[in-house]
Every structure is written in structure tokens, then in C-alpha cells.
Amino acid sequence: YKVVPTFDAALCEILRLDFRAVLAIRVGHPQPTIHRRIGMRLLKSCSIAEVDIGGRVRFLPMQSAAGYAWILRHADVLLDTFPHGGHTTTLDALSSGVPLVTLRPPPGEAGSLAGGFAPGFFDEISRHARESGAEKVATLLLECCVADSVDSYVVKAMRLAQDESFRSEVRDAIRQWSPGAVFGR
């Protein structure tokens, strides 16, 4: 499962900074007890950081395709887990136009698949936009969605979650540019 202790600090900080934030974690592990352990660990991690998460972390059961699409359409921002990032969920978010924040692996781990898919997809989208003369879009997507530190990750997630106008601009850019760059359409 990809929600590991390394990721907890970022989640707790987001919950601390945004009292309206609700984290929805998709359940998919074949051993349901792992979700209870993750929930208890998050509760403990956030309590140590003096963050009240009461009712703001929700585990969502597996959904039908229509239910999953509905969830993606209504998400303000998708948080790519680290150090083990997503692949399929990242592609689902991009194809739906959902803003996504990801943490680029450290330079020494750049060749690793762990955590490298989402930054790679954004690099490809930005390259495609740049080659098409859309430098502003290329810069926007890399600057708003790809972090180089946990602190930067939190800042980017907060801006996308709280600034509706900015989030709309990012959604539009993802919708316009990701199909051609990532999906070959």
C-alpha cells in the first residue's frame, strides 16, 4: 500500500493548514486491516503534530467506473503518494483534468520507478506544450504540480485546494495538453 509513514507528515501539515480539508484515501489493498492500521497511524502522527483530524480522513471503498469518475471530477486536487507514487491513478487524474501534486524523486533516484511516473508525465506534457509554443502552460504545470521538497509539495497542494481560480486554470491546461502528450491523442 502506498500511504506509508514517510507521507504522513505532508498529510498532517495539509490538514493543519486547511481546517476544511478532507483527505479521501481509496481502499484497494486486499487486506482490509491495513486501512485500519493506516488510519490509526495517521491519527497518531497528526496528534503528535497537534493536528485534529476528526472525521477529515475518509477511506473510500472501490467504486464502479462511473463512481470513480464522479469522485475524480469532484476532487479539488489529487495528492500523488511518495516515495511510492502512482501510475494508473495519475493517468486517471490527468485524463479527467484533475490537478495533481507530485514529489520529484531526489536526483540520485531519478532512474527509479518509485515516485517517478507522475513527474515524468508532467515533464512530457510540458515538453509537448513547449514544442507547440505554449511555454506559459509548460511552466505553469511544472511549477504548480511538481514539487522538489515535501514543504514545496504542501505549498502546491494548498494553493490548488484553496485558490479556485488558479485550480480552474490548471484544470484547463491539463485537459488541453495531457491527452496529446500522455495519451497520444
Side-chain angles (χ1 to χ4, degrees):
Y1 204 76
K2 296 179 183 180
V3 180
V4 298
T6 313
F7 192 49
D8 291 359
L11 296 179
C12 292
E13 184 64 3
I14 290 166
L15 290 170
R16 184 185 72 77
L17 292 171
D18 186 349
F19 68 92
R20 297 176 310 140
V22 175
L23 299 174
I25 300 172
R26 197 171 81 171
V27 173
H29 197 280
Q31 298 176 1
T33 58
I34 197 164
H35 302 108
R36 284 192 291 279
R37 287 198 314 258
I38 290 169
M40 295 304 293
R41 191 190 71 232
L42 271 173
L43 181 61
K44 182 178 179 182
S45 295
C46 290
S47 294
I48 290 169
E50 298 182 5
V51 177
D52 178 19
I53 66 168
R56 298 193 300 146
V57 176
R58 310 244 172 90
F59 289 92
L60 304 179
M62 294 300 284
Q63 302 287 314
S64 65
Y68 180 53
W70 185 92
I71 290 168
L72 283 175
R73 278 195 314 275
H74 290 86
D76 288 334
V77 61
L78 191 135
L79 304 175
D80 188 35
T81 55
F82 59 81
H84 310 290
H87 176 270
T88 304
T89 305
T90 299
L91 291 174
D92 293 342
L94 292 173
S95 68
S96 299
V98 177
L100 170 89
V101 176
T102 187
L103 181 63
R104 189 178 296 283
E109 298 174 27
S112 168
L113 288 179
F117 285 113
F121 292 145
F122 276 110
D123 289 342
E124 187 60 21
I125 294 166
S126 295
R127 183 192 63 74
H128 182 69
R130 227 176 240 109
E131 288 175 355
S132 301
E135 182 68 34
K136 182 180 175 192
V137 170
T139 301
L140 169 72
L141 291 176
L142 287 176
E143 288 182 357
C144 77
C145 298
V146 183
D148 58 5
S149 70
V150 175
D151 289 341
S152 172
Y153 179 100
V154 170
V155 168
K156 291 173 188 305
M158 294 301 299
R159 181 166 186 209
L160 283 165
Q162 295 176 335
D163 185 336
E164 191 173 333
S165 168
F166 179 66
R167 183 172 60 247
S168 179
E169 179 183 2
V170 172
R171 276 184 191 276
D172 290 345
I174 290 171
R175 283 185 182 122
Q176 179 180 355
W177 290 97
S178 69
V182 178
F183 304 105
R185 292 187 253 154

